[in-house]
Amino acid sequence: PTMSSGSCPCIAHAYAAPSAGAPLEPFETELPALGPNDVRVRVVACGVCYSDVHVIDNDWHVSQYPVVPGHEIIGTVEELGADVSSVAVGQRVGLGWFRHTCFNCEFCLRGEPILCKSGVPSCMGKIGGFGDAVTADARLVFPIPDELPTAAAAPLLCGGITVYSPLRLYNVRTSDRVAIVGVGGLGHIGIKFAAAMGCHVTAISTSDSKKDECMSFG
């Protein structure tokens, strides 16, 4: 899919669930005009998180249909709002769970916008990462280092930060022993992070079939 060129209105192409639990189907929608702090990003890759399934199935009773899921987004900046200077057109960036927050509450002011009660998720209310373009506040869009492959970087924007955050919060150090319970989408990333930190890592799983995979993570 491609996004139409030129000034807005721009038409984005996506895959959307037309109703709760319905299979995704092709969908077109008009992208909103950029605000002064917004950027438009052409999506290159998007991870698949189980939260997207919750959104599709309306498990949280907040989904509005048709809904375009996807919140582990890697893409290229295509257009900047008038006040944006943190990223540049053509730059590869990542966008996670929130596309907008208030930037005024106690959580936003102390650098924890993920806790903002006014936050607007990337995958609800507007087109998410299962489309070819998204808009977001530039303050929630982050440059992706050249060393990270695009497909590998995308899951770090939700699954990755979910397991990295407690390792930082509890000041995990090289000498520590860390146990990771469950070797699934989150667990395998947690094992990689803890191993990269130099920790002695124990993976706890009910499946022997995951042993070799766990050992390969370092």
Side-chain angles (χ1 to χ4, degrees):
T2 58
M3 188 181 78
S4 61
S5 59
S7 59
C8 278
C10 298
I11 303 300
H13 304 79
Y15 287 95
S19 59
L24 302 186
E25 58 184 40
F27 174 70
E28 291 186 1
T29 187
E30 183 177 308
L31 293 171
L34 295 184
N37 294 309
D38 291 343
V39 294
R40 194 173 329 280
V41 177
R42 176 176 291 278
V43 178
V44 177
C46 184
V48 179
C49 174
Y50 204 83
S51 293
D52 294 314
V53 178
H54 290 309
V55 170
I56 292 169
D57 292 345
N58 199 23
D59 291 335
W60 299 328
H61 306 289
V62 293
S63 299
Q64 298 178 358
Y65 299 92
V67 63
V68 179
H71 60 277
E72 297 176 337
I73 302 165
I74 304 291
T76 303
V77 176
E78 285 198 325
E79 189 176 353
L80 305 175
D83 295 339
V84 175
S85 59
S86 57
V87 294
V89 171
Q91 188 170 14
R92 188 176 64 143
V93 297
L95 172 66
W97 180 252
F98 278 152
R99 70 171 71 242
H100 286 105
T101 64
C102 74
F103 294 102
N104 291 313
C105 69
E106 60 176 310
F107 301 112
C108 287
L109 292 176
R110 72 187 190 197
E112 296 179 325
I114 194 64
L115 301 177
C116 178
K117 293 181 180 179
S118 301
V120 179
S122 302
C123 55
M124 287 190 283
K126 298 180 181 178
I127 187 169
F130 289 9
D132 58 7
V134 296
T135 60
D137 192 297
R139 291 167 288 186
L140 298 171
V141 168
F142 302 96
I144 301 298
D146 293 339
E147 295 80 5
L148 284 178
T150 293
L156 300 180
L157 295 163
C158 181
I161 190 59
T162 298
V163 292
Y164 181 72
S165 179
L167 293 172
R168 288 295 304 272
L169 179 64
Y170 292 101
N171 195 30
V172 170
R173 297 170 294 178
T174 299
S175 59
D176 291 337
R177 292 176 175 266
V178 176
I180 306 295
V181 182
V183 187
L186 297 180
H188 87 281
I189 302 177
I191 293 170
K192 289 184 175 182
F193 277 145
M197 291 176 174
C199 301
H200 181 96
V201 184
T202 299
I204 301 174
S205 174
T206 58
S207 175
D208 289 338
S209 64
K210 295 183 178 180
K211 179 179 178 180
D212 291 341
E213 183 181 19
C214 291
M215 297 300 292
S216 72
F217 293 153

Coordinates of all heavy atoms in Angstrom, one line a residue, residues 5-42:
S5 N 0.6 11.4 -2.5 CA 1.6 12.4 -2.3 C 0.9 13.8 -2.4 O -0.3 13.9 -2.8 CB 2.7 12.4 -3.4 OG 2.1 12.5 -4.7
G6 N 1.6 14.8 -2.0 CA 1.1 16.2 -2.0 C 0.5 16.6 -0.7 O 0.6 15.9 0.3
S7 N -0.1 17.8 -0.7 CA -0.6 18.3 0.6 C -1.9 17.6 0.9 O -2.6 17.0 0.1 CB -0.9 19.8 0.4 OG -1.8 20.0 -0.6
C8 N -2.3 17.6 2.2 CA -3.5 17.0 2.7 C -4.7 17.7 2.0 O -4.6 18.9 1.7 CB -3.6 17.1 4.2 SG -2.6 15.8 5.0
P9 N -5.8 17.0 1.9 CA -6.1 15.7 2.5 C -5.3 14.6 1.8 O -5.2 14.5 0.6 CB -7.6 15.5 2.3 CG -7.9 16.3 1.1 CD -7.0 17.5 1.1
C10 N -4.7 13.7 2.7 CA -3.9 12.5 2.2 C -4.8 11.3 2.6 O -5.4 11.2 3.6 CB -2.6 12.5 2.9 SG -1.5 13.9 2.6
I11 N -4.7 10.4 1.7 CA -5.5 9.1 1.9 C -4.5 8.0 2.3 O -3.5 7.8 1.5 CB -6.3 8.7 0.6 CG1 -7.2 9.8 0.2 CG2 -7.0 7.4 0.9 CD1 -8.2 10.2 1.3
A12 N -4.7 7.4 3.4 CA -3.9 6.3 3.8 C -4.6 5.0 3.6 O -5.9 4.9 3.7 CB -3.5 6.4 5.3
H13 N -3.9 4.0 3.3 CA -4.4 2.6 3.1 C -4.0 1.7 4.2 O -2.8 1.8 4.7 CB -3.9 2.1 1.7 CG -4.2 2.9 0.6 ND1 -3.5 4.1 0.3 CD2 -5.2 2.9 -0.3 CE1 -4.0 4.7 -0.8 NE2 -5.0 4.0 -1.2
A14 N -4.9 0.9 4.7 CA -4.6 0.1 5.9 C -5.4 -1.2 5.9 O -6.1 -1.5 4.9 CB -5.0 1.0 7.1
Y15 N -5.2 -1.9 7.0 CA -6.0 -3.1 7.3 C -6.8 -2.8 8.6 O -6.1 -2.5 9.6 CB -5.2 -4.4 7.3 CG -4.7 -4.8 6.0 CD1 -3.5 -4.5 5.5 CD2 -5.6 -5.6 5.2 CE1 -3.0 -4.9 4.2 CE2 -5.1 -6.0 3.9 CZ -3.9 -5.6 3.5 OH -3.5 -6.0 2.2
A16 N -8.1 -2.9 8.5 CA -8.9 -2.6 9.7 C -9.9 -3.7 10.0 O -10.3 -4.5 9.2 CB -9.7 -1.3 9.4
A17 N -10.2 -3.7 11.3 CA -11.3 -4.6 11.7 C -12.6 -3.8 11.7 O -12.7 -2.8 12.3 CB -11.1 -5.1 13.2
P18 N -13.6 -4.2 10.9 CA -14.8 -3.5 10.8 C -15.7 -3.6 12.0 O -16.6 -2.7 12.2 CB -15.5 -4.1 9.5 CG -15.0 -5.5 9.5 CD -13.6 -5.4 10.0
S19 N -15.6 -4.6 12.8 CA -16.4 -4.8 14.0 C -15.6 -5.7 14.9 O -14.5 -6.2 14.6 CB -17.7 -5.4 13.6 OG -17.5 -6.7 13.0
A20 N -16.1 -5.8 16.1 CA -15.4 -6.6 17.2 C -15.1 -8.0 16.7 O -16.1 -8.7 16.4 CB -16.2 -6.5 18.5
G21 N -13.9 -8.4 16.8 CA -13.5 -9.8 16.5 C -13.5 -10.2 15.0 O -13.2 -11.3 14.6
A22 N -13.8 -9.2 14.1 CA -13.9 -9.5 12.7 C -12.5 -9.5 12.1 O -11.5 -8.9 12.6 CB -14.6 -8.4 12.0
P23 N -12.3 -10.3 11.0 CA -11.0 -10.4 10.4 C -10.7 -9.0 9.8 O -11.5 -8.2 9.4 CB -11.2 -11.4 9.2 CG -12.4 -12.2 9.7 CD -13.3 -11.2 10.4
L24 N -9.4 -8.7 9.7 CA -8.9 -7.4 9.1 C -9.2 -7.4 7.6 O -9.1 -8.5 6.9 CB -7.4 -7.2 9.3 CG -7.0 -7.2 10.8 CD1 -5.5 -6.8 10.8 CD2 -7.8 -6.2 11.6
E25 N -9.5 -6.3 7.1 CA -9.8 -6.1 5.7 C -9.3 -4.8 5.2 O -9.1 -3.9 6.0 CB -11.3 -6.2 5.4 CG -12.2 -5.2 6.1 CD -13.6 -5.4 5.9 OE1 -14.1 -6.6 5.9 OE2 -14.4 -4.4 5.8
P26 N -9.0 -4.7 3.9 CA -8.5 -3.4 3.3 C -9.4 -2.2 3.7 O -10.6 -2.3 3.7 CB -8.5 -3.6 1.8 CG -8.3 -5.1 1.7 CD -9.1 -5.7 2.8
F27 N -8.8 -1.1 3.9 CA -9.5 0.1 4.4 C -8.8 1.3 4.0 O -7.5 1.4 4.0 CB -9.6 0.0 6.0 CG -10.2 1.2 6.6 CD1 -11.5 1.5 6.5 CD2 -9.4 2.1 7.4 CE1 -12.1 2.6 7.1 CE2 -9.9 3.2 8.0 CZ -11.3 3.4 7.9
E28 N -9.5 2.4 3.6 CA -8.9 3.7 3.3 C -9.5 4.7 4.2 O -10.7 4.7 4.6 CB -9.2 4.0 1.8 CG -8.5 3.2 0.8 CD -8.7 3.7 -0.6 OE1 -9.4 4.7 -0.7 OE2 -8.1 3.1 -1.5
T29 N -8.7 5.7 4.6 CA -9.2 6.8 5.4 C -8.4 8.1 5.2 O -7.2 8.0 4.7 CB -9.1 6.4 6.9 OG1 -9.7 7.4 7.7 CG2 -7.7 6.3 7.4
E30 N -8.9 9.2 5.4 CA -8.3 10.5 5.2 C -7.5 10.8 6.5 O -8.0 10.7 7.6 CB -9.3 11.6 5.0 CG -8.6 12.9 4.7 CD -9.7 14.0 4.3 OE1 -10.5 13.7 3.4 OE2 -9.7 15.0 5.0
L31 N -6.2 11.1 6.3 CA -5.4 11.5 7.4 C -5.6 12.9 7.9 O -5.9 13.8 7.0 CB -3.9 11.3 7.1 CG -3.4 9.9 6.8 CD1 -2.0 9.9 6.3 CD2 -3.4 9.1 8.1
P32 N -5.6 13.2 9.2 CA -5.8 14.6 9.6 C -4.7 15.5 9.3 O -3.5 15.1 9.1 CB -5.9 14.4 11.1 CG -5.1 13.2 11.4 CD -5.3 12.3 10.3
A33 N -5.0 16.8 9.2 CA -3.9 17.8 9.0 C -3.0 17.8 10.2 O -3.4 17.5 11.3 CB -4.5 19.1 8.8
L34 N -1.7 18.1 9.9 CA -0.8 18.1 11.0 C -0.9 19.3 11.9 O -1.2 20.4 11.4 CB 0.7 18.1 10.4 CG 1.1 16.9 9.7 CD1 2.6 17.1 9.3 CD2 1.0 15.6 10.4
G35 N -0.8 19.1 13.2 CA -0.7 20.2 14.2 C 0.7 20.7 14.2 O 1.6 20.1 13.6
P36 N 1.0 21.8 14.9 CA 2.3 22.4 14.9 C 3.4 21.5 15.4 O 4.6 21.6 15.1 CB 2.1 23.6 15.7 CG 0.9 23.4 16.5 CD 0.0 22.6 15.7
N37 N 3.0 20.5 16.3 CA 4.0 19.6 17.0 C 3.9 18.2 16.4 O 4.6 17.3 16.9 CB 3.8 19.6 18.5 CG 4.0 20.9 19.2 OD1 5.1 21.5 19.0 ND2 3.1 21.3 19.9
D38 N 3.2 18.0 15.3 CA 3.0 16.7 14.7 C 4.0 16.4 13.6 O 4.5 17.3 13.0 CB 1.6 16.6 14.2 CG 0.5 16.5 15.3 OD1 0.9 16.3 16.5 OD2 -0.7 16.8 15.0
V39 N 4.1 15.1 13.4 CA 4.8 14.6 12.2 C 4.0 13.5 11.5 O 3.1 12.9 12.2 CB 6.2 14.0 12.6 CG1 7.1 15.0 13.1 CG2 6.0 12.8 13.6
R40 N 4.2 13.4 10.2 CA 3.6 12.3 9.5 C 4.7 11.3 9.2 O 5.8 11.7 8.7 CB 2.9 12.8 8.2 CG 2.0 11.7 7.7 CD 1.1 12.2 6.5 NE 0.7 13.5 6.5 CZ -0.3 14.1 7.2 NH1 -1.0 13.3 8.0 NH2 -0.6 15.3 7.1
V41 N 4.4 10.0 9.4 CA 5.4 9.0 9.3 C 4.9 7.9 8.3 O 3.8 7.4 8.5 CB 5.7 8.3 10.6 CG1 6.7 7.2 10.4 CG2 6.3 9.4 11.6
R42 N 5.7 7.6 7.3 CA 5.3 6.5 6.4 C 5.8 5.2 7.1 O 7.0 5.0 7.4 CB 6.0 6.6 5.0 CG 5.7 5.4 4.1 CD 6.3 5.6 2.7 NE 5.6 6.6 2.0 CZ 4.4 6.4 1.3 NH1 3.9 5.2 1.4 NH2 3.9 7.4 0.7

